[in-house]
Amino acid sequence: MYLVYSGLMFFLATALLLAAMVAPRRVAGVMALLAIPLAALGGTLSGTLLLAFAYALWVSRRRTLIFPAVMLALIAVALEVPYHLAPRALPTPSRVYVIGDSLASGGFGEKAAWPEVLEKKIRVPVINLAMASGDTATALQRQIPELPAPLDERELVLIEIGGNDMLDGVDRAVFSRQLDQLLQHAGRGGRRVVMFELPLLPGRWSYGATQRRLAGRHRCTLIPKRILARVLLTPGNTLDGIHLTQQGHDALASELAGRFRAAGSNRS
């Protein structure tokens, strides 16, 4: 499951397709055909389509099309890789505001939700505005208004939202509009904005594509979805696959704190 929700299945599918291109003919067709649905499970729509085009070129068996097929597969990988790399170390903030849903708000028997644990680890104030059952709409209505005017540009807004939008099947255009407004408001006054990328349910590409597009527009740092996927899928970290136990809150706080410690260690 980790390969699916982290998006790493896409790279496995690409490797399978490329291997098929040099494999014996009796097994190559099965390998290549299998690559497309595997890519759809863990990748993006654009990447899966590029692999499908690569497969179509290769299956034609025309020698002149082998090189374009390989290049298409490699381009698909090149487009996807940047979203799986760890972001650059974040400057240690003066304070952090968390906008999120029940994953951040807690309330499921833990002693301290991860924003509180994070505060202790990085030793700066972390103000948790997250609300149970939160989505982009309620975040705009109830959490964004709680953001005070920034005191300095070292403040950071950490956004963990969108999972409920995806689970509820919120219309893509509505999700896009609301997330766009959310990022715009969060970044006012020069605040840095960091957003968790959603581990996607198979076929729910549009939510991930929207996050990536709007993160680029608003210069928002994306935390690769493999981070959240790893925490959620580690045994003992959740009560029901979604809501975190104390072990899960501690694990997620540690993932985040490591980024800030790395930045702080380079300061003069």
Side-chain angles (χ1 to χ4, degrees), residues 16-124:
L16 191 62
L17 178 60
L18 290 173
M21 294 179 182
V22 296
R25 181 169 296 187
R26 64 179 181 274
V27 297
V30 175
M31 292 171 61
L33 189 59
L34 183 60
I36 308 307
L38 288 180
L41 281 176
T44 61
L45 179 58
S46 58
T48 301
L49 287 176
L50 283 174
L51 287 192
F53 281 129
Y55 170 77
L57 292 176
W58 172 79
V59 82
S60 71
R61 302 295 184 183
R62 294 175 58 184
R63 289 181 178 272
T64 56
L65 295 180
I66 296 298
F67 180 72
V70 172
M71 290 306 298
L72 276 177
L74 294 179
I75 288 171
V77 169
L79 291 174
E80 187 68 15
V81 161
Y83 294 104
H84 293 263
L85 299 176
R88 295 179 60 185
L90 298 168
T92 303
S94 58
R95 64 189 53 78
V96 177
Y97 293 92
V98 177
I99 291 176
D101 51 31
S102 56
L103 195 66
S105 69
F108 296 89
E110 74 286 337
K111 293 181 179 179
W114 64 259
E116 184 179 343
V117 180
L118 179 63
E119 180 177 68
K120 295 177 180 177
K121 287 181 176 292
I122 64 175
R123 298 181 181 180
V124 301

Side-chain angles (χ1 to χ4, degrees), residues 88-229:
R88 295 179 60 185
L90 298 168
T92 303
S94 58
R95 64 189 53 78
V96 177
Y97 293 92
V98 177
I99 291 176
D101 51 31
S102 56
L103 195 66
S105 69
F108 296 89
E110 74 286 337
K111 293 181 179 179
W114 64 259
E116 184 179 343
V117 180
L118 179 63
E119 180 177 68
K120 295 177 180 177
K121 287 181 176 292
I122 64 175
R123 298 181 181 180
V124 301
V126 177
I127 298 88
N128 190 5
L129 304 176
M131 296 180 176
S133 302
D135 55 16
T136 52
T138 57
L140 278 172
Q141 296 166 3
R142 303 175 62 186
Q143 297 182 50
I144 285 294
E146 296 297 317
L147 274 178
L151 298 177
D152 60 67
E153 292 186 357
R154 291 176 55 219
E155 291 187 353
L156 181 146
V157 178
L158 185 53
I159 296 177
E160 179 277 305
I161 205 78
N164 287 322
D165 296 80
M166 178 177 63
L167 291 172
D168 293 340
V170 172
D171 181 76
R172 176 181 178 177
V174 173
F175 177 69
S176 178
R177 181 176 66 253
Q178 292 174 164
L179 185 60
D180 189 20
Q181 294 173 11
L182 184 63
L183 292 175
Q184 181 180 356
H185 287 295
R188 282 182 176 173
R191 282 190 177 113
R192 180 183 290 269
V193 181
V194 177
M195 177 168 58
F196 282 97
E197 188 174 11
L198 294 171
L200 299 175
L201 295 174
R204 299 291 176 95
W205 293 305
S206 63
Y207 297 92
T210 296
Q211 279 191 307
R212 291 178 176 184
R213 175 173 55 83
L214 294 178
R217 176 185 298 178
H218 294 281
R219 298 182 179 180
C220 165
T221 299
L222 275 178
I223 298 174
K225 56 188 173 182
R226 61 181 172 79
I227 302 297
L228 196 51

